Each structure stands twice: as structure tokens, then as C-alpha cells.
């Protein structure tokens, strides 16, 4: 059985165990697709090594590692933040459409 990283994540899964096993077997049988996950991991490791060569990324990573976990937003506060972001986005889209409209 596949493990899901977070409690409650299984309810978001849309495939059952047998379907996932069949899909994994099918992908593993294809020589081109079988190497894709390993290539993706190698690519991410190379990119991380490149980023860690730059001081701003090392500093950001260090700050991220020492920062305690955040707490989830209560639903009412989350709705307020989402509403503010939506209004700001709509105002920006309206402003952009006014600026890009041709002058008569």
C-alpha cells in the first residue's frame, strides 16, 4: 500500500491501490519512462547544489531551517486574506487593461 505523507491525504487520492500498482508496473516496464524519476531526482540535486553556491540562497535556506512551523489560518481569517488578494488582483487587472488600451 502506498503511504501518504499527511493525515487525511488519502481522501484526496483518486486511484485505488490496484490501479496504482498497475500504473507503477506499466511505467517500470517502459525503459524510457523507468529512468525518468531518477533523472528528475538527479536534476533537482544538481539545481540545489547550484543554488547553495550563492549566498542569498544559503541565507534563505538557513532562515527557513531555523523558523518554527507556522500554524494554519483559521477559516474566517483565510477567507479574509483570499478576498483581499482577489480584490487586489482584480484591481491590478483593471489597471493593466486601462493602461494598455489605445488612445483615440
Amino acid at each position: 500500500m502506498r503511504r501518504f505523507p499527511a493525515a487525511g491525504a488519502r481522501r484526496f487520492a483518486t486511484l485505488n491501490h490496484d490501479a496504482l500498482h498497475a500504473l507503477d508496473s506499466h511505467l517500470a516496464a517502459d525503459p524510457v519512462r523507468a529512468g525518468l524519476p531518477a533523472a528528475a531526482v538527479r536534476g533537482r540535486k544538481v539545481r540545489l547544489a547550484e543554488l547553495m553556491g550563492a549566498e542569498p540562497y544559503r541565507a534563505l535556506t538557513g532562515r527557513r531551517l531555523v523558523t518554527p512551523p507556522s500554524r494554519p489560518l483559521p477559516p474566517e481569517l483565510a477567507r479574509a486574506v483570499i478576498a483581499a488578494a482577489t480584490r487586489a488582483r482584480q484591481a491590478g487587472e483593471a489597471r493593466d487593461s486601462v493602461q494598455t488600451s489605445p488612445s483615440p
Side-chain angles (χ1 to χ4, degrees):
M1 177 170 261
R2 282 188 179 240
R3 291 184 183 193
F4 289 90
R10 178 166 283 289
R11 67 188 171 116
F12 295 109
T14 56
L15 298 174
N16 64 27
H17 175 69
D18 293 333
L20 290 172
H21 181 68
L23 180 61
D24 286 344
S25 299
H26 177 72
L27 293 176
D30 184 347
V32 174
R33 291 188 178 131
L36 290 178
V41 169
R42 281 192 307 275
R44 285 192 299 273
K45 287 182 178 181
V46 167
R47 180 67 177 142
L48 179 63
E50 290 171 359
L51 291 173
M52 289 298 104
E55 173 57 30
Y57 288 102
R58 283 194 308 275
L60 176 63
T61 300
R63 286 192 305 271
R64 189 180 59 94
L65 291 173
V66 298
T67 302
S70 61
R71 61 180 172 81
L73 287 177
E76 60 277 359
L77 183 55
R79 281 190 290 276
V81 170
I82 291 169
T86 301
R87 285 190 303 272
R89 187 181 64 242
Q90 289 170 343
E93 290 170 356
R95 184 179 57 248
D96 291 344
S97 66
V98 169
Q99 291 175 353
T100 58
S101 61
S103 300

